Amino acid sequence: MPWELDSDRPIYTQLMEQIELKVCAGLYPPGGRLPPVRELAREAAVNPNTMQRALAGLEESGLLYTRRTSGRFVTENQDMIRAVKSRLVREHTRDFLNKMGRLGFTHPEILEAVSSLMEENKNE
Amino acid sequence: MNNAILKCENLTKKFGPVTAVDGVTLSIPRGRIVGLLGPNASGKTTLLKLCNRLLTPTAGQVSIAGHAPGVETKKLVSYLPEKHYLNEWMRAADLIEFFGDFYPDFNRERAYRMLEKLALNPRDRLKTMSRGTKEKIQLSLVMSREAPLYLLDEPIGGVDPAARDYILNIILENYNPRSTILLSTHLIADIERILDHIIFIREGRVVLNKTVDEIRAESGQSVDSLFREVFKC
């Protein structure tokens, strides 16, 4: 999963979102250890201080924690990961609905489009 | 105590009737990557030269870790000038030995590793290389020092986009949290992700001094588009 960053929003908030995504996708499994800051910064091609700030933000929210001397880990608390997942689903769905709204679709039309697309994908 | 690695106080440089640097006051802490951004002829190179004592100020002062620029500060500052100054007849390996002899903080191993990544033969002479390759070698040499302050004048100026990524990678890989990198450029979009701090200068004056995320949060745009707005011709 590559790091995708927009150019018009603060970098550290975007890094927080991307790490949340990676945790939800199981790329960084619950209880698993994160790569060191330097490595993450290099991977995302961002300033190490910015990456550090994003990680500190996620620690504050409880998704990550630091074990002194042995590094930074993903929480083992499944409820918390589920909570992040459902928040992400809501956010992405809201974005999608807003976009469709701007295109002039009504909710029943959107629902129909979604279910017919799901049907198509099922047949594939 | 004072944590600033580089300080300028009311720094001014005039060339006859032209004021290239005009009352610049700055304080740059350790452990940052700072972009010195401005259009052509805004005073970026003059400012960096003043920090290296290649020029002497008309008024005001510069200090590096508390020292005025001079013999002492050459040990602290790893400088990439805008010009090529390496001897054309030398081989890449000669240059590494040459830098190693000059600077006690030069890491030969790191330099050879970088050459390897560039797929360069250390036996090749500089004169057989393209301009972009020479630029990469020069930057590799400068970044192979373990200095508290790097002053890089247009490190990504003359290279292609792939090489630009390589150079940004060099900067990130060799960055140590106690060191500060101050680099000048006008190619902002490529580089803003790796910067902590941005300094905009125009006609020798500092017009903006903020972090990248402050700029994005306050203006809702990238540093690159803010730059285009501020310096619109």
Side-chain angles (χ1 to χ4, degrees):
Chain A
M1 203 188 279
W3 297 78
E4 283 165 18
L5 301 174
D6 301 333
S7 62
D8 54 355
R9 294 193 298 133
I11 298 163
Y12 86 96
T13 50
Q14 299 188 62
L15 293 175
M16 285 173 70
E17 292 163 8
Q18 303 256 319
I19 296 166
E20 280 180 338
L21 267 177
K22 285 175 204 270
V23 169
C24 288
L27 221 68
Y28 303 140
R33 185 178 167 177
L34 251 63
V37 181
R38 276 175 84 87
E39 210 178 301
L40 286 172
R42 207 174 55 209
E43 216 181 273
V46 298
N47 186 297
N49 295 328
T50 313
M51 183 57 81
Q52 176 66 38
R53 192 175 166 202
L55 294 170
L58 291 170
E59 256 176 51
E60 209 167 291
S61 75
L63 191 66
L64 305 179
Y65 68 97
T66 301
R67 224 181 274 158
R68 204 186 296 244
T69 71
S70 59
R72 205 178 253 105
F73 296 80
V74 177
T75 181
E76 281 147 35
N77 183 343
Q78 299 280 359
D79 289 340
M80 176 169 279
I81 296 175
R82 263 194 294 276
V84 171
K85 270 190 190 171
S86 58
R87 200 190 75 227
L88 288 177
V89 166
R90 287 177 62 85
E91 282 173 8
H92 285 285
T93 311
R94 194 180 302 127
D95 284 350
F96 168 73
L97 289 178
N98 286 342
K99 259 183 219 159
M100 294 303 117
R102 276 199 295 271
L103 287 174
F105 285 89
T106 62
H107 282 189
E109 284 171 333
I110 297 170
L111 271 179
E112 203 199 300
V114 170
S115 48
S116 76
L117 197 63
M118 281 173 139
E119 207 53 43
E120 271 173 43
N121 283 353
K122 214 190 291 170
N123 295 337
E124 265 170 25
Chain B
M1 264 300 285
N2 191 342
N3 194 33
I5 181 74
L6 174 67
K7 270 184 120 166
C8 302
E9 271 167 69
N10 198 25
L11 187 65
T12 301
K13 177 68 187 179
K14 291 182 182 171
F15 297 107
V18 179
T19 306
V21 171
D22 191 359
V24 167
T25 297
L26 278 179
S27 176
I28 298 177
R30 291 176 193 264
R32 301 293 160 86
I33 306 180
V34 181
L36 180 63
L37 313 178
N40 297 328
S42 54
K44 303 187 292 283
T45 294
T46 306
L47 187 59
L48 293 178
K49 282 185 172 171
L50 286 165
C51 296
N52 284 293
R53 212 166 187 279
L54 293 175
L55 293 169
T56 53
T58 311
Q61 35 186 302
V62 191
S63 71
I64 289 152
H67 304 278
V71 177
E72 264 315 296
T73 64
K74 303 222 186 276
K75 292 179 194 159
L76 305 174
V77 178
S78 190
Y79 174 47
L80 179 78
E82 44 162 0
K83 287 199 185 93
H84 298 279
Y85 63 96
L86 303 171
N87 283 317
E88 289 281 316
W89 56 266
M90 286 177 110
R91 302 173 198 275
D94 297 336
L95 285 164
I96 290 176
E97 292 311 311
F98 185 62
F99 264 65
D101 286 346
F102 248 103
Y103 299 111
D105 63 1
F106 189 80
N107 184 333
R108 285 182 167 85
E109 216 177 286
R110 195 196 271 183
Y112 277 113
R113 231 180 13 242
M114 285 193 224
L115 288 195
E116 220 171 278
K117 274 203 189 154
L118 282 171
L120 274 171
N121 183 348
R123 304 283 306 152
D124 285 350
R125 289 182 197 275
L126 219 49
K127 67 177 170 207
T128 66
M129 298 175 192
S130 74
R131 194 166 77 168
T133 306
K134 284 179 203 159
E135 279 190 21
K136 284 183 249 176
I137 288 192
Q138 196 158 310
L139 182 72
S140 302
L141 290 168
V142 167
M143 292 310 293
S144 294
R145 285 185 59 192
E146 288 161 8
L149 181 62
Y150 299 86
L151 299 174
L152 312 178
D153 198 351
E154 291 284 358
I156 57 170
V159 298
D160 63 73
R164 218 167 275 166
D165 287 348
Y166 170 80
I167 286 173
L168 294 186
N169 230 332
I170 283 193
I171 292 177
L172 283 178
E173 258 171 51
N174 297 305
Y175 170 74
N176 118 26
R178 294 290 300 152
S179 299
T180 284
I181 300 174
L182 174 64
L183 59 92
S184 81
T185 187
H186 52 260
L187 300 167
I188 302 165
D190 294 320
I191 211 168
E192 62 176 279
R193 281 165 73 159
I194 72 156
L195 302 176
D196 288 288
H197 225 95
I198 300 283
I199 297 168
F200 276 4
I201 70 170
R202 171 163 54 193
E203 291 168 9
R205 294 201 190 108
V206 175
V207 293
L208 185 139
N209 184 350
K210 282 190 177 152
T211 69
V212 173
D213 278 348
E214 271 169 0
I215 289 174
R216 289 176 174 214
E218 286 166 18
S219 68
Q221 56 188 347
S222 66
V223 175
D224 186 56
S225 49
L226 181 68
F227 182 92
R228 287 168 203 262
E229 197 176 291
V230 170
F231 295 105
K232 198 168 178 188
C233 301

